[in-house]
Amino acid sequence: MPVLPERVADPAYVPAEPAWRLPFLVPLRLADLSRSSRLILIELDIAYLAGLLQNVELGSGFIQILDSRGDEWMRANESGIVVGGPQVPKVQIAAEGRVVIGEATMELAGEQYQYVFVTRPANGFTVSVAQPYYEIFAPLTPGQNKQLIANSVMTLLVFGIVFWLIRSLTGQQRVLEALRLSERNNQQLIERLETEHARSSRAASIDHLSGLFNRRQFLDVADSLVLEQRRQRKLSTMLFIDLDRFKSINDSLGHHIGDLLLQAVAGRIQRMLGKGDIAARFGGDEFVVLLVGDRSEADIEQWAAALTAHLSAPYMLEGTELNTSPSIGIAISPRDGQSIDELTKCADAAMYSAKKAGRGQYRFFDQSLNVSDVEEFHLEQAFVEALKNREFVLHYQPQVCLEAMEIIGYEALVRWQHPGFGLLYPDRFIPVAEKTGFVVSLGMEVVRLACAQISDWQQKHGISKPVAVNVSPIQLAQPGFCKDVLATLADYGLTTDLLELEITETAMLEGRAVESLHCLKAAGIRLSLDDFGTGYAGFAHLEAVPVDKLKIDRSLINRISLSHDDSPIVSSTIILAKRMALKVVAEGVETREQLVHLKVAGCDIAQGYHLGRPMPAEKIPEFLRTFAEEEARA
Amino acid sequence: MRLLTLILAFASLAFASFYSWGAVREVKNCNINRLTFTMIPKKDIDQQASEYQPLITLLEQGLGMPVELVRATSYESVMDGVLSGGVDLAVMGPASYVIAHRTDPGLDAFASLTTEAGLFTPEGSFYYSLLVVPTAAGINSIEDLRNTRILLTDSSSTSGALIPKNEFATTIGEPFSDFFGANIYAGSHDKALMALLDNKAEAAFVSSSRADEALRRGMIAEDTLTVLWRSVPLHYDPFVFRSGICEDVRSRVINLLTTPSPMLSEYLNTQRAVGINLVTYDDYRAIEAVLNN
């Protein structure tokens, strides 16, 4: 095995001079090991070695061959063999082992070197290679710089993005905050607007006086309600409500009370409403109700009757008790109409019908539903038969002369002794008779009956007292009325002074009626003006009409007891009538006070419950006896 | 490490063969059937070998025997070869010849080239050792080079080591090793020049003829290098026979080298030489004197 001896042991060693040959000693092993070994010297030309190293890229680095003590045998770099120059620090060389590989860092001429070495302790040499770090890393440096630049750019980019993000987020946050604020403001504005809108809508949709819907709102709402009811195959009912005598209440008690009444009526209607029902005031004293829900026709009628009763109950308004009643027209969908328009028209018409029927009435638009109309119809149908069967009878109410307090005559009041309905009073059938024209024949029948009775009394009891008969203006307007009356009197052989005809003020407005009156008057029949003080008639008409008596209406007489303030009207009327040479009859005298008052006032004749109720003719003789006895007692 | 072992083994074998051949020649003397030839390394060994190919062909044809070119890696190995008798004919450096001649006075220098003129070398048989620095470095005086890296050729190179260490040291008046910093032995003049141009060192000692050659080849321009110092004229490299060369071979070789022929011209062209003149040891005594200082 060749061994490289130590450098200093070389006989040719000169410090600072290169060794141009590496002397390797190779011991020759002889058979006899006890004898001293012989050595072969092999010298390696360093230039040869340098030539080989020529192709090794060392850069600024170098390669060294060191002896076992770390002394340099040779140093070479890319340019060639190097002698002298900076002292290369010695590395710790391993003393034993086969091959030792090591690595160290050293500084040479201010430069850091990496130093890699291989030591072969057995061969006594070490080969080392040193290269400055900057060269080792040289291939990396540009990349490193690029990487650094890239990293810096990336970092800047990331910072930039983060900055931008933060900025934009902050900006967004600000915008959002501003938006939220403006949203809140908007919300507040919207809420205010909505409140205002609701208020104005309410104001626009509500009738301020009654608190019910107004016409517009009612029609809006009702339309869809009716549609929905139809869809559910349920009835919708429209009720038109009009207050009776509202105008006179308003006129007499003032608008304030009128308004209070309207409010009270609205309140009563409101309380009657069921779920889903709506009510409105259309204006004036006109109320409308739409009933929905699942109501049958019977239910509807029941409801209408209840409403009528409810609204007819007395009202207490600021200490004043008021009585009024509704006239109600009822239309039912789908029977009477599909649309609100149709229903409104029908209900309106029905309401007028109810109004005509009298106060506190309700009427269905569909006639078949009007029970009273059915009765009316029946009566109408029964008229002819009744006349034929002489079902009409007269009751007689005595008329008393106040001065003598004796009975001076009777007012004949017609009754219908209906086989089915019993005794019917004129208010039940006179309107029907007037409407159908039966009033003419009925009137003649009454005249006939009265005449027959006078005649009967004359013959049986020797009584010859005049009988007053009510004549309808329609009848008066009949061309042959005067002639017919006179004929009837003649038939019974009566004088004209025994028959008195009571006419209403309206009769005086009709030209033909006035004609008849003159005819009758001329014939000697006495005429009296009925219901004086309630109609249009004034005293002016009295001059034109040849009446003999004035009958002061019961409503005026009634007030005598209620209010003493009203007595001057009666007194004045009496005085005026006297001045016109008219006899004055007071109707409806019910109390003794009224009687006294009337007597004091100068009234000629009185009739009323206080003096005698209307009674059948056969009761007259007994009444006369009783009356005479009472008068005698008084 | 395996590489190193291989190198050691190879080197051992190479030297062993040298010695064994020498031993055979001694016995047979003039009865040689091949001529071994070598030359000091001056440039890339392959390029140098191809330049010498016309000369080898001339010798082979003229001698009628194969001529073997031994590729020497250093001046020392050429000396070893000639001294050991392993090499019959060698082109040696002037100094290495003088040094080898001390060991074996039988070494016979018989011819050297006459070169054409160059920028750094006059026409004729002489050249110089030059201390050059790159002009671009701006170094104007020798003193500026103190403690700097200096490029040398080979420790046995005349102009590249021996003359600088002796004559130049005398000129500056202090030991060579004290003046400069690191001494870098590049192995050949061309390598030294290349290393200088690569800024591996601050200055170089090179042969003026190699500098001219570099100029001719375009490696440098005329103003690339600045010459700071020039040695005494040095006689060109001698063709040297080993001692005891067969006279017949010796005379035939001298004849071939001194008789104009196309092959000789071709060889001379490669060396930028105009001719070959005969020399003796006396022509190198001036160098001996310098070395003895």
Side-chain angles (χ1 to χ4, degrees), chain B residues 64-76:
Chain B
M65 64 173 80
V67 175
E68 187 185 357
L69 178 67
V70 176
R71 297 159 77 101
T73 53
S74 69
Y75 286 58
E76 288 270 321

Side-chain angles (χ1 to χ4, degrees), chain A residues 254-470:
Chain A
H255 287 286
H256 176 60
I257 294 295
D259 288 351
L260 289 177
L261 177 64
L262 289 175
Q263 283 172 2
V265 168
R268 289 184 186 187
I269 291 173
Q270 189 86 55
R271 281 192 289 279
M272 289 277 297
L273 295 179
K275 190 183 173 207
D277 301 337
I278 55 170
R281 175 171 167 257
F282 269 24
D285 58 337
E286 214 172 57
F287 292 88
V288 183
V289 170
L290 183 75
L291 297 181
V292 292
D294 198 4
R295 287 183 168 93
S296 66
E297 284 157 1
D299 292 337
I300 292 163
E301 184 175 6
Q302 202 180 348
W303 197 88
L307 180 67
T308 309
H310 203 55
L311 295 184
S312 302
Y315 295 84
M316 205 65 189
L317 303 171
E318 292 188 345
T320 309
E321 191 184 299
L322 263 180
N323 284 293
T324 184
S325 55
S327 291
I328 302 174
I330 306 164
I332 297 174
S333 168
R335 181 197 306 258
D336 301 329
Q338 309 282 331
S339 69
I340 283 295
D341 254 11
E342 290 170 322
L343 283 178
T344 312
K345 279 178 193 155
C346 294
D348 198 22
M351 193 269 284
Y352 274 101
S353 163
K355 226 174 184 44
K356 267 202 306 193
R359 295 169 183 171
Q361 299 293 315
Y362 60 88
R363 285 292 181 273
F364 286 94
F365 178 75
D366 187 330
Q367 296 299 336
S368 67
L369 295 177
N370 287 328
V371 176
S372 52
D373 284 3
V374 169
E375 185 188 88
E376 195 172 286
F377 175 76
H378 280 299
L379 293 178
E380 189 184 319
Q381 297 302 311
F383 262 131
V384 179
E385 199 66 16
L387 279 175
K388 204 167 77 184
N389 297 338
R390 311 244 174 218
E391 289 172 11
F392 293 101
V393 295
L394 294 181
H395 283 195
Y396 299 89
Q397 186 170 34
Q399 292 183 330
V400 177
C401 169
L402 292 180
E403 200 177 290
M405 279 312 283
E406 61 184 44
I407 293 164
I408 57 154
Y410 304 92
E411 180 179 358
L413 298 163
V414 68
R415 304 286 189 262
W416 184 351
Q417 189 64 54
H418 192 278
F421 298 135
L423 191 69
L424 298 179
Y425 284 79
D427 59 321
R428 292 280 296 277
F429 57 88
I430 290 298
V432 187
E434 283 186 330
K435 201 160 75 184
T436 55
F438 275 113
V439 75
V440 177
S441 39
L442 176 64
M444 283 314 299
E445 172 69 0
V446 170
V447 171
R448 193 192 64 77
L449 285 173
C451 289
Q453 190 59 53
I454 297 166
S455 170
D456 185 56
W457 277 331
Q458 280 181 336
Q459 289 164 19
K460 288 183 179 168
H461 307 288
I463 302 169
S464 244
K465 294 281 171 63
V467 172
V469 174
N470 289 286

Side-chain angles (χ1 to χ4, degrees), chain A residues 2 16-18 20-21 24 42-45 47-52 54 59 65 75 77-86 99 118-120 123 125-127, chain B residues 1-5 7-8 10-12 15 44 73-77 79-80 149 151 153-156 165 177 181-187 191-192 195 200-201:
Chain A
E17 278 299 311
W20 290 100
R21 290 148 189 240
F24 285 95
I42 299 175
E43 291 192 319
L44 177 61
D45 186 1
Y48 170 75
L49 209 53
L52 290 174
Q54 220 179 344
I65 294 174
R75 188 188 340 156
N77 62 19
E78 267 191 357
S79 305
I81 307 297
V82 181
V83 178
V99 177
V118 176
T119 302
R120 294 184 71 97
N123 297 94
F125 68 87
T126 294
V127 177
Chain B
M1 182 50 72
R2 191 174 292 167
L3 177 70
L4 192 66
T5 316
I7 291 164
L8 286 171
F10 177 77
S12 314
F15 283 101
D44 179 68
T73 53
S74 69
Y75 286 58
E76 288 270 321
S77 59
M79 283 197 286
D80 285 341
R149 293 170 295 174
L151 278 160
T153 306
D154 187 294
S155 59
S156 299
K165 287 190 178 179
S177 56
N183 300 354
I184 302 168
Y185 293 88
K191 286 184 190 170
K200 296 287 171 62

